[in-house]
Amino acid sequence: STQSTWDYNQKMEDPNADHFLKQIQGRVVSVVLTTGSEFRGRLVCLDGFMNVALEECEERMQGKAIAKYGDILLRGNNVLYVRGIEEPKIEKIEKTAQSLAGKQINIPFILSLIHI
């Protein structure tokens, strides 16, 4: 799967931008600021001014987390771009298992989760 990138210069009215926003809503994203700082978290909201609300947010430098913030709002004029991040398979499996808790499921279905 390829990672999508939202370019600051792309117009919010663009149908491709709208599709991208729907794809990444609720997913883990990387937000890079004009200063070069990177913030990674689950996208809660992204508006027409590029204001970005993240939850479970951490600041990263050279690929490593340097600070954890929880919920955060990044002001749009500081945002250089937003990029969708591929979640590790184990997180996908855990989310699926949580959504199925208390439901009857069959063994072949559980085994199919390994091939996500």
Side-chain angles (χ1 to χ4, degrees):
S1 155
T2 60
Q3 293 180 340
S4 301
T5 301
W6 168 257
D7 183 354
Y8 182 78
N9 295 320
Q10 192 171 2
K11 294 180 181 178
M12 291 296 287
E13 298 84 31
D14 186 337
N16 293 326
D18 201 33
H19 176 71
F20 173 71
L21 292 175
K22 287 177 183 172
Q23 278 187 311
I24 64 170
Q25 187 76 32
R27 294 182 174 239
V28 176
V29 297
S30 172
V31 180
V32 175
L33 304 183
T34 55
T35 62
S37 300
E38 178 189 4
F39 293 84
R40 189 173 288 187
R42 193 161 306 281
L43 180 66
V44 176
C45 181
L46 176 66
D47 69 12
F49 296 102
M50 290 293 289
N51 295 313
V52 181
L54 301 175
E55 60 185 12
E56 304 168 22
C57 183
E58 61 184 26
E59 184 175 3
R60 301 176 67 86
M61 184 176 290
Q62 298 175 350
K64 296 182 180 180
I66 59 170
K68 295 189 182 233
Y69 298 109
D71 296 344
I72 192 169
L73 175 66
L74 300 169
R75 188 171 173 195
N77 67 332
N78 297 313
V79 174
L80 184 61
Y81 66 85
V82 177
R83 175 173 59 109
I85 301 293
E86 185 70 29
E87 293 183 77
K89 288 182 181 182
I90 191 68
E91 287 182 24
K92 289 181 182 179
I93 292 170
E94 287 173 352
K95 284 181 187 176
T96 303
Q98 287 173 357
S99 71
L100 296 173
K103 296 179 183 175
Q104 286 189 343
I105 54 174
N106 60 32
I107 299 301
F109 176 75
I110 293 172
L111 294 175
S112 72
L113 293 176
I114 296 169
H115 303 288
I116 293 177

